Amino acid sequence: MKTVLVLGQGFVGKYLADLLSTHGVEYTSTTTSGRDNTLKWCASDDAALLPAAETVVVTFPLQGQAEARRLTTEYLHHHRKAHGDAYSPFWVYLGSTRPFKETPSTRHTKPDLSAGGSRVEAEEYIIGNGGCVLNLAGLWGGDRVPEKWARFYGTKDKLRERLKDRSLHLVHGADVARAIYAIVTSTDRAVRFAGRWLVSDDTVYDALQIFIGAEHIQGFVEELLSETEVRELLSATRIDDIAVGPSAVTRRIDASHFWSQLQLKPKYLYTVGQPDPYSNP
């Protein structure tokens, strides 16, 4: 039996696979193509094709309670034939902090179902069956650089809306991998980590400070400053007078419960214009 099964060796899955390999942990990862010596498998395939593992990490979105139920019950039913009725893997499911709208939101905050949809339904099913849900803040690392996200604000209207709440929460893919590694290697993981956890680093970032280096963002801000509402919002009449940085925004995601439970701290923090501090373990 494998120690860990990683369903989806994508962005987070690659960091996790590297870490598991470094520490000699037996694991299997899947991809839809079977690339990089992974098992070729996708969510619509039979779960019986997957190897038994002590912990199963699901890195991709499941479409509602029905898909979560099908995956977990098919997997359990198949492997209990070989390993007995006592076989009960621990499930770790990766979600997003997007459905958390309260300020601040903690692991005890109820997610907004209208913002999370079927993904939250799947999360509730995993939690209801003793699993662990990690709601991740904005993932970054390697080529995934927050400055590049300025492209998502390609119109003045989109930027105007973003200026109403400039707070941005991030977590490096390597820190997520470190956290998952700590969970899957914990002997009492089903007791300590069952339930919902919000995951971000311990900093709040200012989206405007990050995106203002983009030429089109500068142009939009200059135009928006002609609007009374925007001038009042930014407390400025000129772009050079806008206060930017963590002190100019409000923390929305409080992940302190998670890192305290892990007895770890985020290691890879983002700095505007600086290279990624991560190197392979």
Side-chain angles (χ1 to χ4, degrees):
M1 182 186 301
K2 300 293 184 181
T3 301
V4 185
L5 172 61
V6 183
L7 298 184
Q9 187 171 295
F11 182 75
V12 170
K14 183 61 169 66
Y15 283 105
L16 180 57
D18 288 345
L19 192 58
L20 294 172
S21 295
T22 297
H23 290 281
V25 176
E26 284 193 276
Y27 74 95
T28 294
S29 291
T30 72
T31 59
T32 57
S33 64
R35 68 180 184 276
D36 300 329
N37 296 315
T38 58
L39 176 66
K40 185 177 180 180
W41 185 87
C42 65
S44 60
D45 291 339
D46 191 340
L49 299 173
L50 299 168
E54 296 171 10
T55 300
V56 182
V57 181
V58 184
T59 70
F60 53 81
L62 296 172
Q63 300 306 309
Q65 186 179 110
E67 188 171 45
R69 181 189 296 111
R70 182 188 67 80
L71 172 61
T72 56
T73 55
E74 278 186 5
Y75 185 82
L76 196 61
H77 177 73
H78 174 74
H79 288 297
R80 278 185 172 173
K81 293 178 183 178
H83 299 283
D85 291 342
Y87 173 70
S88 184
F90 187 60
W91 292 80
V92 178
Y93 179 53
L94 306 189
S96 165
T97 55
R98 189 173 294 111
F100 294 88
K101 303 299 184 182
E102 293 184 18
T103 302
S105 289
T106 72
R107 69 176 302 243
H108 303 297
T109 303
K110 294 292 185 183
D112 182 346
L113 292 177
S114 65
S118 61
R119 192 166 188 168
V120 173
E121 291 178 12
E123 292 173 3
E124 294 292 342
Y125 182 82
I126 296 294
I127 292 170
N129 285 273
C132 167
V133 169
L134 304 182
N135 291 104
L136 308 180
L139 287 166
W140 78 284
D143 293 333
R144 201 165 180 163
V145 182
E147 285 104 315
K148 295 180 180 180
W149 301 347
R151 69 183 186 276
F152 298 129
Y153 302 93
T155 68
K156 192 164 59 174
D157 289 341
K158 287 183 178 179
L159 183 61
R160 182 190 293 109
E161 193 63 28
R162 189 65 171 97
L163 292 177
K164 295 176 183 177
D165 179 7
R166 289 156 43 190
S167 63
L168 178 65
H169 294 82
L170 302 171
V171 64
H172 197 289
D175 274 328
V176 177
R178 290 174 62 232
I180 296 173
Y181 174 78
I183 292 171
V184 302
T185 56
S186 171
T187 56
D188 56 352
R189 55 191 173 276
V191 175
R192 293 182 61 205
F193 298 109
R196 184 186 297 282
W197 304 88
L198 304 192
V199 186
S200 71
D201 65 26
D202 51 10
T203 302
V204 58
Y205 302 88
D206 181 352
L208 183 57
Q209 181 186 29
I210 293 172
F211 302 151
I212 197 67
E215 185 176 348
H216 75 282
I217 296 293
Q218 293 180 23
F220 287 156
V221 171
E222 292 280 10
E223 293 178 30
L224 288 169
L225 283 170
S226 66
E227 301 176 11
T228 301
E229 180 184 1
V230 174
R231 290 197 301 273
E232 292 176 351
L233 184 65
L234 299 178
S235 300
T237 58
R238 299 183 312 121
I239 194 168
D240 292 339
D241 296 334
I242 300 172
V244 296
S247 62
V249 296
T250 301
R251 179 184 297 276
R252 183 171 58 84
I253 300 299
D254 179 359
S256 58
H257 294 99
F258 181 63
W259 296 108
S260 176
Q261 186 75 343
L262 283 174
Q263 298 182 333
L264 288 176
K265 288 188 176 182
K267 188 175 181 180
Y268 305 104
L269 304 183
Y270 172 73
T271 303
V272 180
Q274 296 299 309
D276 184 347
Y278 171 79
S279 60
N280 286 331

